[in-house]
Amino acid sequence: MLERLEARVAALGHAVVAFSGGVDSSVVAAIAHRALGEKARAVTAVSPSVAAGELEGAQRVARHIGIAHEIVRTNELARPGYRANGRDRCYFCKTELYDTLAARYPGVPLLSGANQDDQGDWRPGLRAAAEHDVRHPLIETTKAEVRELARQLGLPSAEKPASPCLASRIPYGTAVDPETLAQIDRAERAVRALGFPVIRVRHHGILGRLEVAAEDLDRALAAEPGIVRAIKAAGYRHATIDLKPFRSGRLNVEPARPATSR
């Protein structure tokens, strides 16, 4: 599989990888570097929508791969469609990203880490990618296979949990603003510092609703007083732990449910 993917990317001649440092884009960056050498570069976008620490993680992975790495600033919050936070929010975010990359690297093929599993969820960002002729080398590869490739390549991000845009914690229809994004980020960092790596703090105005990975849910409930204090310290008046475990993309399939809070 690796050889086939490398040959596909090598045929492009040169490429820019939209590089978050997550496992998918890390695999694409590693393949691009192996296939194209100096004619490949990884580019990481930073903005208020990106959680603290993500840039540093991306830099570490890029150094490990050896690929040329650049940082660009995007301003999706300047786009009314993004701020309005409809179900197509990701379309505006990805449009901002690909507009920025296309302007900076005109004529250079753009690569993303989209994989086969992404086609089974609501992904308006893929529409933005199609409009910019973005290539998806992993689109026929499952997430499990991507992680196996990452292990095969020895990537430090092989087991990294997904870390999407902070706006994904805000229910559709609730406007996105920098202050809310920063508040969510503070709350999540505080909970992770208590030893819970896979979480989301869902934003419901004055309430922060924590979702925890299934394997950590009982432990989180036992530590509820400290977790509630941590979320409140981030700026929420009330906080709660959801009795349903974290599931990626939950807001796409069921309405937001503020729970009993403290």
Side-chain angles (χ1 to χ4, degrees), residues 102-150:
R104 190 177 181 96
Y105 309 100
V108 180
L110 304 179
L111 307 183
S112 91
N115 63 65
Q116 186 179 98
D117 291 21
D118 293 328
Q119 298 180 83
D121 194 8
W122 172 245
R123 300 281 179 169
L126 290 176
R127 178 161 61 93
E131 291 174 358
H132 291 78
D133 196 27
V134 175
R135 323 295 177 89
H136 311 296
L138 303 177
I139 203 63
E140 298 173 357
T141 309
T142 67
K143 186 74 171 189
E145 290 170 334
V146 172
R147 289 203 183 276
E148 184 54 41
L149 284 171

Side-chain angles (χ1 to χ4, degrees), residues 32 53-54 60 75 93 96 100 108 116 128 134 140 161 204 208 224 242 250 262:
E54 289 300 302
R60 286 193 296 272
N75 189 18
C93 182
E96 171 72 12
T100 301
V108 180
Q116 186 179 98
V134 175
E140 298 173 357
H204 302 285
E224 185 177 18
D242 199 314
R250 178 187 286 183
R262 295 190 177 187

Side-chain angles (χ1 to χ4, degrees), residues 148-185:
E148 184 54 41
L149 284 171
R151 297 183 193 106
Q152 182 179 341
L153 291 164
L155 299 180
S157 54
E159 310 303 331
K160 184 180 184 296
S163 182
C165 167
L166 290 168
S168 66
R169 283 68 153 170
I170 304 173
Y172 292 130
T174 300
V176 179
D177 60 66
E179 294 75 23
T180 298
L181 296 173
Q183 184 179 20
I184 294 167
D185 194 29

